[in-house]
Amino acid sequence: MAAFDLIIRRGRLEGHAPLQDVGVRGARFTRIADRIRERAAVELDADGRLVTPTFVEPHIHLDKVLMAARVRPNHSGTLTEAIQILQDAKRHYTVADVASRATQVIEWAVSHGVTTLRTHVDVDPLGGLTPLLGVLEARRRTRDLCTVQIVAFPQEGIIKSPGTARLLDQALRRGADVMGGMPYNEATPTDSVRHLEMAFALARRHGAPIDMHVDETDDPHARTLAELAALALRFRYKNRVTAGHVCALAAYDDPYAAKVIALLAEAQMHVVTNPATNLMLQGRFDRSPIRRGVTRVKDLVAAGVNVAFGQDCVMDTFYPTWGQADPLEVGLITAHALQFTQPAELHTLSQMCTANAARVLGARGYGLGVGAVASCNIVDAHSFADAFRTRADRRYVVFRGRVVAETTTVSKLHRRVGGGRSA
Ligand SMILES: [Zn+2]
């Protein structure tokens, strides 16, 4: 029997000076060495290109993708109006339609080198379980390409949307893996705390981790992030709670922000920032200067909090026009939002869509190492920074030892004979 099913030749791996051969047997990396003498049935010549673990998308709304063209425009550009527009559409969702839109965007993500995704799916009396059933069907259709975790997400609130708690319980029974939340989207701070407590009760009943939309607002008085961290500590949910967006943290004064960040670090919480969407949604009531609405990533990282970035939205009412489920594109936007230019910052950026995002999802066997799951990208670049700069082709995407996508873009210049001299 052959020692290897797949060998990647002459790959550029972070932390290795010489180019490396990467050997795969079955679904695992089994050797990484300067030179592998054996042959394999499938060999890919990286020819000095960057080899990365496949990207992890930790926050995307697959039930809402591609809806922008079907509904009226979001005139205010705000989160509130985006939610309102979708309320009508959601009543008329069908499982087939949600499945087909979600499948399309999953396929884009895979061609962009993503083979692990976490998606938030609306669960409420407006759409019932239709969004969930649609995304479950998309997950089934694409299981040869990637793995998908589903968050049961009470977009419309729990307290102000009676019937949601029961549906969330059903969603977690029928295939959702993670308990979601949106505590700020309740009428009062008291109700926000009740929302958090109900979400924890459901999560604990199902043994599920928690991933919430937290304080997606410029309101410096939004306080649900600290409440979430306090509950994570009270219920011994260390390392099992993720907070997405957390825009208000950027609006706090420095002493209070430092206090909350210390609490997040103590609870070993994860944070997912979504700069593409929040640059678009936040600061809509500002004249000038207009706030960025992007959370304090540098401070969080310095405090030891695990931070990843996500796409969040693809052509929906929150983020019309834009998005293609490409972490290199989102990374480029993130770098601008966070003012990342230094080598250490670019390293952090690369981790935010790979190892850090994998930690958010609790992905097992992740990474480019012997014994890890053989999922990797050959990227048409020589460094991660260059990959972000050019959104380089993912020449090959390998998922569990099998090539699942390839992309080659060809550009040609057509010169006059004699070159650029004028006649
Ligand atoms: Zn979101």
Side-chain angles (χ1 to χ4, degrees), residues 59 61 213 245 312:
H59 187 126
H61 294 262
H213 285 60
H245 297 287
D312 196 22

Side-chain angles (χ1 to χ4, degrees), residues 270-392:
H270 308 273
V271 169
V272 177
T273 184
N274 303 295
T277 307
N278 287 127
L279 283 170
M280 210 51 94
L281 290 175
Q282 309 310 131
R284 287 281 180 169
F285 303 109
D286 294 347
R287 296 299 296 166
S288 193
I290 296 170
R291 282 170 288 183
R292 294 169 181 234
V294 178
T295 198
R296 296 176 181 245
V297 173
K298 287 180 181 174
D299 295 346
L300 288 162
V301 170
V305 177
N306 181 47
V307 186
F309 66 72
Q311 168 78 70
D312 196 22
C313 302
V314 176
M315 291 191 277
D316 61 18
T317 53
F318 303 78
Y319 191 59
T321 315
W322 314 111
Q324 54 174 339
D326 181 355
L328 293 185
E329 178 179 286
V330 178
L332 180 74
I333 293 166
T334 300
H336 287 72
L338 301 177
Q339 301 180 318
F340 272 8
T341 54
Q342 305 300 313
E345 293 165 349
L346 295 171
H347 176 69
T348 298
L349 190 70
S350 70
Q351 296 293 104
M352 288 172 82
C353 59
T354 54
N356 293 11
R359 279 177 64 197
V360 172
L361 272 68
R364 292 211 183 94
Y366 180 83
L368 266 187
V370 171
V373 177
S375 297
C376 64
N377 298 323
I378 300 177
V379 183
D380 195 8
H382 289 114
S383 69
F384 242 117
D386 241 17
F388 285 118
R389 183 178 65 82
T390 64
R391 277 83 70 220

Side-chain angles (χ1 to χ4, degrees), residues 207-223:
I210 288 173
D211 189 339
M212 293 199 183
H213 285 60
V214 182
D215 297 342
E216 191 175 358
T217 171
D218 297 318
D219 176 5
H221 305 292
R223 289 289 182 266

Side-chain angles (χ1 to χ4, degrees), residues 176-199:
D177 312 279
V178 180
M179 181 61 208
M182 194 171 186
Y184 185 75
N185 190 18
E186 297 287 359
T188 66
T190 309
D191 283 356
S192 295
V193 172
R194 283 183 63 206
H195 177 121
L196 285 162
E197 288 171 346
M198 289 171 81

